[in-house]
Amino acid sequence: AQTVTQSQPEMSVQEAETVTLSCTYDTSESDYYLFWYKQPPSRQMILVIRQEAYKQQNATENRFSVNFQKAAKSFSLKISDSQLGDAAMYFCAYIGGETSGSRLTFGEGTQLTVNP
Amino acid sequence: EPEVTQTPSHQVTQMGQEVILRCVPISNHLYFYWYRQILGQKVEFLVSFYNNEISEKSEIFDDQFSVERPDGSNFTLKIRSTKLEDSAMYFCASREPTRYEQYFGPGTRLTVT
């Protein structure tokens, strides 16, 4: 079974600084997708960024980018120029290709605090 | 921008009662999901639904749970006889047929007393 691990329960960053959240996963599949979701205090799950395993290029969405290391099974999220609104719980999630169903498997989450 | 909606936002029920949680997925999405999140824990998959039938379910999704798409827009999760441990946030999600990212609704907070 696939597993997703986020080893940092809490992280903090100063406003305008950069922070990196870590995620590792375990899978025997070659075709899969990885995501970062943000969960603010409202508890809404908001998609931040996605990465296809077959793409070597790291995904970028404005101030959010990933460092995808397929061989190491690592998928970290970098937030640049952190803003107060970035404060939230961040979940890393995995979904396999067609052969393994379409459920998302989530990590335990990292609570990010942004200090003014 | 289209979004997934869920009702109610908060439901309080007594142990043993039946509850129905409702979701309206994004209109061109064909895959639908229910997840739950017990307070302070990670999000857990319950069930996926495609082409009017369950395509996958987790070990959590036992006989007490059922899902239905009663019409062209709603997707419901029914819990037949609620237990205290069913207290959680329940999220509905949907996705397009050709893409893998799932879009979540705002959740229904279920409290069983």
Side-chain angles (χ1 to χ4, degrees):
Chain A
Q2 293 77 24
T3 58
V4 177
T5 303
Q6 293 177 250
S7 58
Q8 306 154 317
E10 296 176 351
M11 291 281 285
S12 64
V13 63
Q14 290 297 124
E15 199 175 1
E17 297 293 305
T18 295
V19 65
T20 299
L21 309 184
S22 301
C23 173
T24 58
Y25 58 94
D26 188 25
T27 184
S28 58
E29 297 176 301
S30 58
D31 180 26
Y32 53 88
Y33 301 78
L34 296 161
F35 306 91
W36 280 97
Y37 281 87
K38 170 185 177 181
Q39 187 179 44
S42 66
R43 299 189 72 184
Q44 169 94 46
M45 295 289 287
I46 301 166
L47 178 64
V48 175
I49 199 165
R50 61 173 268 169
Q51 175 77 45
E52 295 90 339
Y54 63 84
K55 287 189 178 177
Q56 291 189 334
Q57 188 173 7
N58 289 322
T60 299
E61 287 286 342
N62 301 313
R63 297 182 294 106
F64 298 86
S65 61
V66 299
N67 184 4
F68 174 49
Q69 302 287 328
K70 190 172 183 179
K73 294 180 181 166
S74 168
F75 181 60
S76 60
L77 174 70
K78 185 170 87 170
I79 307 174
S80 304
D81 185 25
S82 297
Q83 299 174 1
L84 295 177
D86 295 333
M89 181 73 91
Y90 286 82
F91 289 98
C92 178
Y94 167 102
I95 192 168
E98 286 294 340
T99 58
S100 68
S102 61
R103 65 167 74 184
L104 279 168
T105 300
F106 286 87
E108 303 88 343
T110 296
Q111 182 68 52
L112 178 66
T113 302
V114 181
N115 300 310
Chain B
E1 188 174 322
E3 54 186 27
V4 178
T5 60
Q6 289 185 243
T7 53
S9 57
H10 188 197
Q11 172 106 40
V12 181
T13 189
Q14 289 191 323
M15 198 166 51
Q17 295 297 304
E18 174 183 286
V19 294
I20 297 176
L21 310 183
R22 291 183 167 79
C23 168
V24 179
I26 295 172
S27 62
N28 63 333
H29 289 190
L30 299 181
Y31 291 81
F32 314 120
Y33 306 84
W34 284 101
Y35 293 84
R36 80 170 185 192
Q37 184 185 33
I38 295 170
L39 187 62
Q41 298 186 22
K42 65 179 173 181
V43 179
E44 301 173 291
F45 168 78
L46 290 177
V47 66
S48 59
F49 192 86
Y50 171 70
N51 201 24
N52 279 321
E53 61 182 26
I54 290 174
S55 48
E56 190 181 1
K57 59 184 180 180
S58 72
E59 30 314 319
I60 302 168
F61 194 88
D62 61 21
D63 293 343
Q64 297 283 19
F65 292 89
S66 63
V67 289
E68 194 178 34
R69 186 151 164 86
D71 54 43
S73 58
N74 290 282
F75 179 51
T76 61
L77 174 69
K78 183 195 290 186
I79 309 175
R80 264 180 265 285
S81 177
T82 50
K83 308 185 188 89
L84 293 175
E85 54 265 36
D86 293 327
S87 294
M89 194 77 158
Y90 288 80
F91 292 103
C92 174
S94 67
R95 72 171 176 95
E96 292 180 45
T98 57
R99 297 179 70 87
Y100 284 88
E101 59 265 32
Q102 296 178 19
Y103 292 90
F104 283 72
T108 293
R109 184 154 65 100
L110 177 66
T111 303
V112 182
T113 61

